[in-house]
Amino acid sequence: MSTTAAPTRTERLAAGTADYLDQRTGLGAAVKTFARKIFPDHWSFLLGEIALYSFITLIISGIFLTMFFVPSMTETVYHGPWASLNGVQMSEAFSSTLRLSFEVRGGLLMRQIHHWAALIFMASIVTHMFRIFFTGAFRKPRELNWLVGFTLLILGLLAGFSGYSLPDDVLSGNGLRIADGVALAVPIIGTYASYLLFGGQFPGQDLIPRLFTVHILVVPGLILALIGLHLFFVVLHKHTQYPGSGRSNKNVVGYPLFPIYVAKAGGYFFLVFGVIALMGATMSINPVWSYGPFDPSPVSAGAQPDWYMLFLEGALRLMPGQAEIVIGGFTLSLNIIVPAMIVPGVLFTALAIYPFLEAWVTGDKREHHLLDRPRNRPFRTGFGVSLLVAFLILVLAGSNDLIATHFHLSINDITWAFRVLIFVGPWFAFWVTKRICLGLQRKDRELVLHGHETGRIVRFASGEYIEVHKPLDAHERWIRVQHDAIRPLEIEPAEDSRGVRRKGYRIDRMRQRISTVFYEDRVEPVTPAELAAAHSHGEHDSLAAADAHAEVTAGVGAGVVSDGRDHLSADARDH
């Protein structure tokens, strides 16, 4: 006879609260549906979670800093524990930053946690976006979600720039001076833009309060809204997954959100937060007391912004200063317009529109939930690597003074080397990456057709020597043959049967040319006929079959059982 224990008071209270909320909000059905949502398990999916958890860390530490920071450019005289700045005139913003660092308990720790979290937030967004780019996770129906992520990247840049400009120290002041120069370089309206931005002549009195509002209210609010939209799209479209046995565009292989991923997410948040807190406690960053309050005169080597804005600094340093032209009485400062507007405009525009360009070129309107192996899309992978190389070259160019001082080199020689590399480097990286991808595809073909090399040499009675190859199992073969063979577009003739020129031919011809650039160089996946022909070797097959039989026998003797291989083999043959 068994008895059931009566529910405790806490259990009754929890059940009653849940029932109350469910009857008034219908929350139970939503929680039930969401808790059963299946998510695949792969380490690369954690990159987006790092971005989310570092942003939560930014909010927590930012609330603390807001309590003590004074967003004012009113002049004051500092009197505090940092002796070297005693009696120095500075803004209230810089003075409150010093107070946060040396007088508020835990203030310096929170400042450094906030700064490290910002750097990790941007790094995880960039890494997450390129994981999506290289695996083709931006394809239908996720093009809009790609734009949401791209907008989050731009907002992250704006949040970072507005944040490290707030202390009003020499380093942040130099960054703001560059921003003022960029605003002034805008044709026709440049002076008006600078006046509106700074509330008068640089630096004015209104910029820090305005940046403070942007940094703690406008940008975080937009980021929170877009993160919610981004997660909504993830749930709506279901999660992408890497190709493998039993995985298709019609299913998701993984674990439910509750309780597995809820527990994992909670633990992972504390892990990310712990790492950021450890970095903040042990690794100094942005020591504003070493720079002093903003003064336009002391500019020296080592005046670099945070890494995610360093590419703009590098572009400005590479552009010759004499690049100015006068048109109709207006001076066009190409030495600023090109590096500060055109270069980032080209990089970001190419990144934003690529999903739509690829869909237009291929004419593919299917939904895709299986990810690509980067080697199977050589052009896309090469293009992404070329963007990364261009970004890296600009980042290094932004540190040309540090490279010169540390390695005792000529800064002029370094600058000219980077000017050449910015044109040659991305093209060379694209060519090398594309060749590597095609080589890996050929290697996959060889493995599917002939199997893995074993190093075992056998001699037949006829005197022939062969190396015994181990055939791929159905799981491994499926991964190497499941991708589609995309070929350049074929279009209709320019004229119909009556000799009338077809409308839209020019656009179709342009699509065909771009498609040829994308997919002319390719390696076709192995077909069932090729696989059958490769395995028709007479006594060679008999030898391989004997080896396979011996392995199966050994596996059964060790307690190994079959796991649906026959079905997977059929899938591979059908493909």
Side-chain angles (χ1 to χ4, degrees):
M1 181 178 180
S2 62
T3 58
T4 303
T8 64
R9 182 178 180 181
T10 303
E11 291 173 341
R12 291 196 302 271
L13 181 62
T17 302
D19 182 64
Y20 179 89
L21 293 175
D22 184 39
Q23 291 184 23
R24 287 157 179 81
T25 63
L27 192 61
V31 171
K32 183 178 180 180
T33 302
F34 193 69
R36 291 181 176 180
K37 197 71 176 178
I38 302 298
F39 289 90
D41 196 13
H42 193 272
W43 67 266
S44 66
F45 298 146
L46 298 179
L47 295 171
E49 294 187 31
I50 295 176
L52 176 62
Y53 300 150
S54 57
F55 182 70
I56 295 174
T57 305
L58 282 170
I59 293 177
I60 295 172
S61 56
I63 291 173
F64 178 91
L65 297 177
T66 304
M67 303 295 181
F68 302 96
F69 180 74
V70 180
S72 172
M73 301 183 74
T74 303
E75 293 293 324
T76 185
V77 178
Y78 176 74
H79 297 286
W82 191 253
S84 62
L85 291 177
N86 266 326
V88 176
Q89 191 172 9
M90 60 185 66
S91 66
E92 288 279 4
F94 188 76
S95 178
S96 65
T97 304
L98 293 178
R99 192 180 312 115
L100 254 171
S101 302
F102 300 118
E103 300 179 53
V104 176
R105 189 179 297 273
L108 180 59
L109 175 63
M110 281 297 181
R111 275 194 63 234
Q112 300 200 147
I113 286 177
H114 193 73
H115 206 132
W116 281 118
L119 298 184
I120 293 175
F121 175 64
M122 289 305 303
S124 55
I125 285 182
V126 171
T127 311
H128 178 60
M129 284 195 68
F130 272 99
R131 194 277 300 174
I132 292 173
F133 181 86
F134 286 123
T135 59
F138 53 74
R139 294 172 296 173
K140 184 181 177 180
R142 297 176 179 84
E143 302 96 332
L144 293 180
N145 212 11
W146 170 264
L147 291 181
V148 170
F150 174 79
T151 308
L152 283 170
L153 174 65
I154 302 300
L155 289 174
L157 294 176
L158 181 58
F161 178 76
S162 61
Y164 73 66
S165 299
L166 288 177
D168 198 30
D169 60 303
V170 168
L171 191 61
S172 65
N174 289 331
L176 290 173
R177 188 54 167 166
I178 294 174
D180 179 51
V182 173
L184 289 171
V186 177
I188 302 177
I189 63 170
T191 53
Y192 301 99
S194 174
Y195 184 88
L196 291 174
L197 180 63
F198 293 95
Q201 188 176 2
F202 178 87
Q205 293 293 319
D206 301 329
L207 182 62
I208 295 299
R210 291 175 179 178
L211 285 177
F212 186 71
T213 303
V214 169
H215 185 68
I216 72 165
L217 182 63
V218 178
V219 175
L222 292 174
I223 290 178
L224 278 173
L226 290 178
I227 287 177
L229 182 60
H230 187 71
L231 296 177
F232 171 75
F233 277 138
V234 170
V235 174
L236 178 66
H237 297 146
K238 75 183 182 182
H239 209 295
T240 55
Q241 57 186 342
Y242 285 92
S245 303
R247 300 174 183 178
S248 69
N249 284 313
K250 299 180 180 179
N251 67 3
V252 179
V253 179
Y255 301 97
L257 179 68
F258 186 84
I260 295 176
Y261 275 105
V262 171
K264 283 187 176 183
Y268 197 50
F269 165 74
F270 287 108
L271 180 62
V272 172
F273 182 84
V275 170
I276 295 175
L278 181 63
M279 294 173 69
T282 59
M283 303 168 67
S284 177
I285 188 171
N286 197 24
V288 295
W289 52 88
S290 298
Y291 308 137
F294 174 63
D295 184 345
S297 57
V299 179
S300 61
Q304 275 80 20
D306 286 336
W307 71 268
Y308 47 84
M309 297 296 291
L310 195 53
F311 76 101
L312 281 176
E313 178 83 7
L316 288 166
R317 295 189 183 193
L318 290 185
M319 190 68 185
Q322 301 82 4
E324 292 184 348
I325 58 175
V326 179
I327 300 178
F330 292 96
T331 300
L332 293 181
S333 301
L334 298 181
N335 51 358
I336 298 178
I337 293 176
V338 171
M341 302 177 193
I342 296 178
V343 170
V346 169
L347 289 177
F348 286 131
T349 302
L351 195 61
I353 70 170
Y354 184 87
F356 304 94
L357 177 63
E358 183 175 289
W360 181 68
V361 167
T362 59
D364 187 4
K365 299 181 180 179
R366 299 171 299 166
E367 288 194 1
H368 294 275
H369 304 291
L370 277 181
L371 299 174
D372 288 327
R373 299 175 78 201
R375 67 181 64 183
N376 294 331
R377 296 292 180 263
F379 182 88
R380 180 204 297 159
T381 304
F383 180 74
V385 171
S386 67
L387 285 180
L388 285 175
V389 169
F391 179 82
L392 180 61
I393 291 172
L394 293 177
V395 166
L396 293 175
S399 304
N400 60 353
D401 52 344
L402 295 179
I403 297 174
T405 55
H406 280 70
F407 296 98
H408 307 288
L409 300 172
S410 168
I411 192 170
N412 291 326
D413 293 342
I414 295 172
T415 302
W416 274 107
F418 283 130
R419 285 174 178 171
V420 174
L421 280 175
I422 195 61
F423 292 101
V424 177
W427 172 84
F428 183 73
F430 171 82
W431 179 80
V432 170
T433 304
K434 188 175 180 180
R435 292 297 105 192
I436 291 175
C437 290
L438 293 172
L440 290 173
Q441 287 188 60
R442 294 187 184 96
K443 179 64 175 178
D444 284 345
R445 279 186 61 88
E446 290 296 319
L447 287 175
V448 172
L449 293 174
H450 305 295
H452 292 287
E453 296 180 357
T454 62
R456 179 179 167 216
I457 307 299
V458 175
R459 180 185 179 187
F460 290 107
S462 61
E464 178 187 4
Y465 288 90
I466 68 164
E467 179 185 6
V468 179
H469 285 233
K470 179 182 178 181
L472 275 63
D473 60 31
H475 300 269
E476 191 176 1
R477 183 170 63 245
W478 173 254
I479 292 176
R480 287 172 166 80
V481 302
Q482 53 79 33
H483 61 282
D484 296 326
I486 303 180
R487 301 175 179 87
L489 287 177
E490 295 182 2
I491 62 174
E492 297 180 2
E495 298 178 352
D496 59 19
S497 58
R498 295 174 297 177
V500 178
R501 188 171 183 83
R502 181 170 59 86
K503 293 183 178 180
Y505 172 75
R506 290 185 177 179
I507 296 178
D508 288 348
R509 180 59 178 160
M510 182 172 61
R511 286 182 64 192
Q512 185 184 47
R513 289 175 178 173
I514 300 175
S515 176
T516 301
V517 173
F518 272 52
Y519 302 112
E520 184 177 28
D521 296 331
R522 65 189 186 279
V523 177
E524 300 285 346
V526 176
T527 63
E530 289 176 321
L531 186 62
H535 289 178
S536 300
H537 296 315
E539 56 182 335
H540 295 193
D541 279 351
S542 301
L543 182 62
D547 288 342
H549 177 72
E551 290 183 7
V552 171
T553 304
V556 172
V560 178
V561 296
S562 177
D563 189 15
R565 300 289 179 85
D566 292 340
H567 172 70
L568 294 170
S569 299
D571 285 344
R573 288 195 301 270
D574 291 341
H575 182 82

